[in-house]
Amino acid sequence: MRDAKYADRDREREEMEAQLEKEEAEREAEREKLAEAELAEWKDMFSVGEAGNEADQEISESQGKLAEFIDHIEQQKVIAMEDLAAHFGMRPQAVLKRIEDLMAMGRLSGVIDDRGKFISITNEELKEVAKFIRRRGRVNVSDLAAESNKLIDLTPKPLPAAPANAPIEIVG
């Protein structure tokens, strides 16, 4: 008798759950219909112009800024993170992160010293140092430092001159 009573309760609960699931599915279908109808109403209010123009422009600008960042570092050869941050309107931590990322990507090579300066080293200079190590075999740190000072040029490079026919802007 108890088993029949529990079986009746289970069956009633299952019927109620099935009914609730059916009602929920109907409500969900109704919500989807309303959402589709609203979308159809709003769709006519929008127009699509030239797609991707602004994004392309932003990408172009950011690549130009990145190229300027790399060129500036390579021209200066030795530059403090704070100076670089001030020049490009960035935080020193962001400059350090960008330099590390560029080095990992192979777009920039050099070392960061313990005083917060980045020393840019060209691939040619790195090859010369490697050639020295191969030629000498075993090298101690002081010999490597002395030869690196000879092989690696730390003087800033002049900015590229403007072409002769380029307009000159006079600010005054």
Side-chain angles (χ1 to χ4, degrees):
M1 184 167 222
R2 273 186 135 178
D3 291 335
K5 187 175 177 183
Y6 286 124
D8 287 342
R9 283 187 186 167
D10 286 342
R11 191 177 58 250
E12 286 175 9
R13 186 170 12 100
E14 288 174 2
E15 287 173 0
M16 281 182 106
E17 287 175 359
Q19 181 64 28
L20 289 174
E21 286 177 12
K22 181 180 175 185
E23 289 172 2
E24 182 62 32
E26 289 172 358
R27 280 193 295 269
E28 185 63 30
E30 185 64 29
R31 274 189 235 126
E32 286 179 20
K33 277 185 189 176
L34 288 173
E36 286 178 20
E38 186 175 2
L39 176 64
E41 284 179 29
W42 283 93
K43 215 184 248 187
D44 296 334
M45 293 182 190
F46 292 101
S47 65
V48 178
E50 291 184 36
N53 196 16
E54 290 178 12
D56 291 344
Q57 195 172 24
E58 286 178 16
I59 290 171
S60 175
E61 285 177 15
S62 69
Q63 287 176 345
K65 287 179 183 178
L66 183 62
E68 182 184 345
F69 185 81
I70 293 170
D71 289 344
H72 185 75
I73 291 171
E74 289 175 344
Q75 288 168 356
Q76 293 297 314
K77 292 297 279 184
V78 179
I79 189 161
M81 297 291 171
E82 293 82 17
D83 295 343
L84 196 56
H87 184 78
F88 286 96
M90 300 170 67
R91 294 188 348 257
Q93 295 85 0
V95 168
L96 176 63
K97 173 84 170 98
R98 177 161 297 166
I99 287 174
E100 289 172 344
D101 290 345
L102 289 169
M103 288 174 59
M105 293 181 343
R107 301 270 316 262
L108 195 60
S109 59
V111 292
I112 300 170
D113 73 2
D114 56 345
R115 298 170 301 190
K117 291 184 178 181
F118 180 75
I119 303 167
S120 177
I121 304 172
T122 66
N123 287 333
E124 292 79 25
E125 292 168 337
L126 286 173
K127 288 176 186 175
E128 290 296 318
V129 172
K131 191 188 319 180
F132 168 75
I133 294 170
R134 277 192 227 103
R135 190 173 54 236
R136 291 277 303 266
R138 216 169 178 177
V139 181
N140 64 30
V141 174
S142 60
D143 290 343
L144 181 61
E147 191 65 23
S148 293
N149 286 335
K150 292 178 196 172
L151 297 174
I152 299 173
D153 181 20
L154 298 178
T155 58
K157 304 291 181 256
L159 295 172
N165 59 357
I168 298 173
E169 183 178 329
I170 299 174
V171 180

